[in-house]
Amino acid sequence: MASSQSSSSSEHQHSVKSPATSQQPTKASSAKTKMTQAHPAVTQQSVASKISQTLGGQYAPQDLAFQFSQSGAGTYTVQVQENHQSPNMKAKGADPSTSPTVAWFKTNTNGQLLKSVDGGATYTVVGNAY
């Protein structure tokens, strides 16, 4: 039973094995990470998750489609479109033959997430990409 709890909690939280000892090493290791790495790795998955959070008030995650292009390590340009094939959008009567663009996003080498609502002509920082 203890091993299944340990494995379940480690899936949801990183490096949580023993409550008595996990707090201090976690703080020390995160401080070391901050000193040696400016920001965590930016991946398509982390960017899509952040974009979904940014648009969460307007769209459910399954109602969005992401088109990624990569210009360098961790730097992406993302076209975000409505997914009219999702059950939620179908229930709302969205036209299945269209997929309008919601916004454009991109990441930069500083790990920032930027958003454009004018087709990519201008971008503003909306948070971190990780």
Side-chain angles (χ1 to χ4, degrees):
M1 177 95 171
S3 64
S4 68
Q5 287 177 342
S6 173
S7 100
S8 293
S9 64
S10 67
E11 288 176 14
H12 299 292
Q13 299 175 355
H14 299 274
S15 302
V16 177
K17 291 184 181 177
S18 167
T21 60
S22 66
Q23 292 175 351
Q24 291 175 347
T26 302
K27 288 179 184 175
S29 63
S30 67
K32 287 179 185 175
T33 301
K34 288 179 186 174
M35 292 173 60
T36 59
Q37 183 175 337
H39 51 81
V42 176
T43 64
Q44 287 185 10
Q45 184 177 8
S46 67
V47 173
S49 176
K50 280 296 189 175
I51 292 171
S52 291
Q53 289 173 9
T54 300
L55 298 173
Q58 301 167 339
Y59 295 92
Q62 68 271 15
D63 296 339
L64 298 171
F66 305 91
Q67 302 298 321
F68 284 85
S69 62
Q70 187 170 8
S71 57
T75 55
Y76 299 98
T77 300
V78 187
Q79 180 183 13
V80 182
Q81 297 172 290
E82 290 182 356
N83 175 14
H84 287 187
Q85 303 304 315
S86 76
N88 187 41
M89 286 291 209
K90 287 180 179 180
K92 291 180 178 182
D95 181 354
S97 64
T98 64
S99 54
T101 298
V102 174
W104 287 84
F105 286 84
K106 70 178 181 178
T107 61
N108 62 23
T109 56
N110 296 325
Q112 295 173 312
L113 180 66
L114 299 93
K115 178 181 179 182
S116 175
V117 293
D118 58 9
T122 59
Y123 285 88
T124 55
V125 175
V126 293
N128 290 324
Y130 48 88

